[in-house]
Amino acid sequence: TQLLEQSPQFLSIQEGENLTVYCNSSSVFSSLQWYRQEPGEGPVLLVTVVTGGEVKKLKRLTFQFGDARKDSSLHITAAQPGDTGLYLCAGARHYSSASKIIFGSGTRLSIRP
Amino acid sequence: EAQVTQNPRYLITVTGKKLTVTCSQNMNHEYMSWYRQDPGLGLRQIYYSMNVEVTDKGDVPEGYKVSRKEKRNFPLILESPSPNQTSLYFCASSSGLAGGPSDTQYFGPGTRLTVL
């Protein structure tokens, strides 16, 4: 079974600080996605990165796919209480007629006002 | 409103009593999937379906069955539930290959199942 390891598992920081969450694997993925999940709800897709080295920005969130397409990072600048939640990375491998997705175990982020 | 619905949202049952969790999407998506979420393990894929009558095993299929008779519905069946199937279950759908560059996988609100 392919593994996607996320770090850190838990992170509690003060509002206004910067943070980076990592997602690492020994396997190559066709694409990598980041989701955010609120309590009592399903995950919501934030971004999909496809090309090695790709960087995408979503307001204060910057996502990067590793050159070898085995790892990814999520950087949040000037964190706000509204960023609090569970962040999940998910690697996808596409075959001719199927798609297998592996999720990381998640990073629970808490931003203190 | 585009959405994935699951029922029931909460269920407490006993070992061995067959149950079905329903999942329905109104977006005409071809790809649907079931996941379970457990603390420290993230989401693990149980089964997925590429289209009507086309299903395949995910990473943790043991003890589960699925069917895809209609495009919009993808029920998850536990023929003989056991306590180790206590978990939070999510159904998801997407228009193409989940994880594809232009495909968004939409998740339902989750079903919290407890098997005593």
Side-chain angles (χ1 to χ4, degrees):
Chain A
T1 305
Q2 306 158 40
L3 288 176
L4 259 182
E5 296 185 4
Q6 275 187 249
S7 61
Q9 263 191 297
F10 302 94
L11 185 58
S12 179
I13 63 173
Q14 205 71 35
E15 180 178 0
E17 294 183 359
N18 302 332
L19 66 106
T20 302
V21 177
Y22 300 93
C23 179
N24 295 298
S25 175
S26 57
S27 302
V28 176
F29 292 103
S30 305
S31 65
L32 198 134
Q33 299 182 313
W34 285 92
Y35 291 81
R36 189 172 121 186
Q37 185 178 14
E38 306 278 1
E41 298 179 10
V44 175
L45 180 67
L46 296 174
V47 76
T48 300
V49 284
V50 179
T51 307
E54 182 176 3
V55 176
K56 281 192 174 179
K57 293 195 175 195
L58 191 66
K59 296 183 182 177
R60 294 174 294 99
L61 279 60
T62 301
F63 305 86
Q64 183 161 9
F65 203 9
D67 291 340
R69 291 188 290 130
K70 294 181 180 180
D71 54 82
S72 180
S73 64
L74 157 61
H75 183 78
I76 301 180
T77 303
Q80 299 178 1
D83 296 327
T84 293
L86 178 66
Y87 288 81
L88 298 159
C89 65
R93 298 192 74 181
H94 303 310
Y95 306 95
S96 57
S97 59
S99 175
K100 297 295 286 284
I101 296 179
I102 304 293
F103 276 83
S105 55
T107 294
R108 193 164 294 282
L109 177 62
S110 174
I111 310 299
R112 303 186 303 272
Chain B
E1 179 191 354
Q3 61 182 355
V4 178
T5 56
Q6 295 178 227
N7 282 291
R9 293 290 312 278
Y10 303 90
L11 179 59
I12 301 174
T13 188
V14 294
T15 299
K17 187 176 181 182
K18 180 179 178 180
L19 67 92
T20 299
V21 184
T22 64
C23 173
S24 183
Q25 49 94 3
N26 63 359
M27 295 168 279
N28 200 37
H29 285 167
E30 293 181 347
Y31 184 99
M32 295 186 75
S33 186
W34 275 103
Y35 296 89
R36 59 178 289 174
Q37 186 174 31
D38 301 290
L41 296 177
L43 281 92
R44 293 178 292 169
Q45 192 176 50
I46 302 170
Y47 268 95
Y48 64 95
S49 169
M50 298 299 292
N51 212 326
V52 175
E53 303 291 2
V54 181
T55 64
D56 205 352
K57 296 177 181 178
D59 293 313
V60 288
E62 295 78 20
Y64 304 95
K65 282 176 55 178
V66 293
S67 68
R68 189 91 182 272
K69 294 184 171 56
E70 307 165 280
K71 200 171 188 179
R72 64 182 292 126
N73 297 323
F74 190 44
L76 178 69
I77 304 154
L78 283 72
E79 294 269 5
S80 183
S82 62
N84 64 12
Q85 292 178 297
T86 292
S87 187
L88 180 57
Y89 291 86
F90 288 100
C91 179
S93 75
S94 66
S95 58
L97 287 177
S102 57
D103 291 313
T104 298
Q105 190 168 206
Y106 293 90
F107 283 80
T111 295
R112 187 166 291 281
L113 172 65
T114 301
V115 183
L116 302 174

